[in-house]
Amino acid sequence: PSFTLSPTPNVKGSISGDVVNARGYPIESAKIRLKGLNSKVLKKTVSDEDGLFEFVDLDADTYIITVLKKGYKKSKQTVSLKEGEETDIEIILKKSSKL
């Protein structure tokens, strides 16, 4: 029997993770922004009471994740996502010295 290759549907990936402070405690309501380098995707979310967040439905790309929280230094992390990959990251926010 002969098989015809049908184009495979684009498998989406996800990036999830948690935002913690230097001691490993979760940081709630940190603003998290995800930006695709090639795809110009822009998504925003907020960490929950356990510091958790998730971006789903992502194409393969390199993403820059920026985390903002009052009283902490801005954190940037770059994540390369392959097609259909699910990546879990941890973002550690350091207290800002400014009052």
Side-chain angles (χ1 to χ4, degrees), residues 36-52:
L37 278 185
N38 304 316
S39 58
K40 304 290 183 249
V41 167
L42 191 63
K43 293 180 181 236
K44 293 179 182 173
T45 191
V46 174
S47 60
D48 69 10
E49 66 271 13
D50 299 315
L52 300 173

Side-chain angles (χ1 to χ4, degrees), residues 47 58 67 88:
S47 60
L58 300 175
V67 182
D88 195 35

Side-chain angles (χ1 to χ4, degrees), residues 27-42:
I27 295 176
E28 189 181 354
S29 356
K31 290 181 183 150
I32 303 150
R33 192 179 75 205
L34 170 122
K35 190 167 187 247
L37 278 185
N38 304 316
S39 58
K40 304 290 183 249
V41 167
L42 191 63

